[in-house]
Amino acid sequence: FKQKTAYEIRNCDWSSDVCSSDLSDNERRHREAAEAAKNFMSRMLGSVTPGAARGREVSRTYMLDRAEVELEAGKLAGQPQVEREVRTLLGRAYLELGNFELATKHLRIAKDRGDETGDGDGLAAAAIEELLGRALGLRGEAESTSHLQNSLSIRRRLAGEGSAEVASSLNSLGLVLVHTGRFDEALHALDGACEVALPAQRSLCLPKRFTVLVAAKRVPEALKIGEEMMRSPASDKQLAGLAWTIANVIPGDPDALAFALRAAQASDRALKGRDPMVGAILARVQWLSGRRSDAAETARRALGFADSPDLRNALREDLRVYEPPVKGATPPSGGRDARGTP
């Protein structure tokens, strides 16, 4: 007999050797609801015929929208546990897509369905509370922290203080606190998450702390962490990520910009100048540093390696900014240059 883990219950990982005969009635209902939710989403995928798609690639958003239409038509009426599972899947997906309004809508309904079935304080409810707290927090809603604190409380009680579930709640709480400018509280939450993180997750702690400190404009502390990461980066692209954070948050700080230039150059060297995204980041930092010709050269090189239309278009737009104007060149029609300057 194998004791069930919180992970298996929360994620419905019933491929483990937990025997169905060992499940309580409540756990069996969770299992059945999760299976029904998966079948519902699979039907959404299967309902898109080649004729309906008309040769188009079916987008993730299209599939989510079809599922929403089915729900609004009452497809799962009278099946609150299944609807909760489906709404949670939709809420998580919309959250990942950055559609916080629709994520909030589905997660609120999922929470209501859990309360209706008397399952508002289990691990599944804690997962919904975490996702809802994140969605609300990224919309700037003050109630977000109460949902995240509730998620944390449930998980501490059911999964234990040192569990991955508790770390996840603390991590989400830190993210929302950063978004609302409560940086000291965010650092405290993230430090708590790192204390109980698995070894593979612990490598993310320093870059998260770096990001919070940059957002808080605590540049010396951020650069101290950055220098530590420079000595032993977790991946070839990691340092370019630090440079991108600085370029977007504090582009006018000379000390931070000098570090960002070294960091982006280090990633570019490690990848032998062949990664277009890293090249784009390096070019941006070079331009912010006043090295306009270097920025144009780096962007042209990155453009040669770009393998997606979106990245190629972005780099072309960047080049219009970086490349020095040619003396005597005729402006585009309308008497303006490529950036719209008269």
Side-chain angles (χ1 to χ4, degrees):
F1 170 72
K2 176 178 177 290
Q3 191 71 25
K4 295 181 295 299
T5 66
Y7 170 84
E8 289 164 345
I9 296 171
R10 184 192 64 172
N11 295 287
C12 300
D13 179 12
W14 306 105
S15 60
S16 67
D17 58 345
V18 178
C19 298
S20 60
S21 60
D22 296 323
L23 302 177
S24 68
D25 289 342
N26 190 44
E27 291 162 350
R28 188 175 291 105
R29 285 195 297 271
H30 276 302
R31 174 183 181 178
E32 291 168 353
E35 196 63 36
K38 290 177 184 176
N39 291 338
F40 176 86
M41 297 304 291
S42 295
R43 285 198 300 275
M44 292 302 98
L45 180 61
S47 67
V48 183
T49 63
R54 296 176 185 171
R56 296 179 289 111
E57 180 182 352
V58 179
S59 70
R60 185 182 185 188
T61 303
Y62 177 79
M63 295 302 308
L64 296 174
D65 291 346
R66 278 192 61 83
E68 184 168 7
V69 168
E70 293 285 326
L71 285 173
E72 298 306 317
K75 198 73 172 182
L76 295 178
Q79 303 178 68
Q81 287 190 315
V82 179
E83 184 181 354
R84 180 175 78 157
E85 294 289 339
V86 171
R87 297 275 188 184
T88 303
L89 290 172
L90 292 176
R92 186 189 297 274
Y94 279 121
L95 181 58
E96 290 173 356
L97 289 169
N99 191 330
F100 306 130
E101 183 178 354
L102 281 178
T104 299
K105 169 190 169 181
H106 287 291
L107 292 165
R108 282 196 190 280
I109 297 173
K111 176 175 163 54
D112 290 343
R113 296 296 175 268
D115 292 340
E116 290 168 10
T117 58
D119 189 25
D121 63 351
L123 285 171
I128 294 170
E129 291 276 32
E130 179 188 5
L131 293 169
L132 180 56
R134 284 177 70 116
L136 289 167
L138 293 172
R139 291 177 64 187
E141 302 285 346
E143 66 173 293
S144 61
T145 52
S146 66
H147 291 285
L148 290 166
Q149 292 288 2
N150 193 30
S151 168
L152 183 59
S153 175
I154 294 171
R155 284 169 163 171
R156 279 177 167 156
R157 175 168 52 84
L158 296 180
E161 184 63 49
S163 65
E165 288 82 2
V166 166
S168 181
S169 290
L170 286 169
N171 188 60
S172 292
L173 180 60
L175 172 70
V176 168
L177 289 170
V178 169
H179 192 73
T180 55
R182 296 159 64 180
F183 300 114
D184 288 337
E185 294 172 74
L187 286 169
H188 180 72
L190 291 173
D191 287 345
C194 288
E195 285 177 10
V196 299
L198 297 172
Q201 298 168 324
R202 215 164 282 141
S203 63
L204 301 175
C205 292
L206 281 179
K208 286 180 180 177
R209 191 172 183 83
F210 175 90
T211 300
V212 175
L213 290 169
V214 167
K217 308 296 191 294
R218 290 160 58 172
V219 176
E221 295 173 73
L223 296 187
K224 183 177 180 181
I225 290 176
E227 294 293 349
E228 181 180 346
M229 294 173 67
M230 282 278 284
R231 290 191 288 273
S232 183
S235 70
D236 290 338
K237 294 185 179 182
Q238 187 181 57
L239 298 178
L242 304 185
W244 186 242
T245 298
I246 289 171
N248 280 285
V249 180
I250 47 173
D253 187 288
D255 292 335
L257 204 54
F259 170 81
L261 183 60
R262 290 193 295 115
Q265 288 171 332
S267 280
D268 192 54
R269 284 194 302 272
L271 292 161
K272 298 179 172 56
R274 301 177 67 86
D275 187 287
M277 184 59 73
V278 170
I281 293 171
L282 175 57
R284 175 63 59 85
V285 175
Q286 288 170 328
W287 182 71
L288 290 170
S289 303
R291 299 169 62 167
R292 187 167 183 165
S293 296
D294 289 345
E297 181 182 345
T298 301
R300 281 193 295 270
R301 167 166 55 84
L303 182 58
F305 290 105
D307 55 1
S308 75
D310 287 345
L311 184 53
R312 285 195 293 270
N313 290 335
L315 283 163
R316 290 188 187 106
E317 288 294 321
D318 288 346
L319 275 168
R320 292 190 183 98
V321 176
Y322 302 154
E323 288 181 322
V326 179
K327 289 184 178 180
T330 304
S333 59
R336 295 173 178 270
D337 64 16
R339 283 170 288 162
T341 305

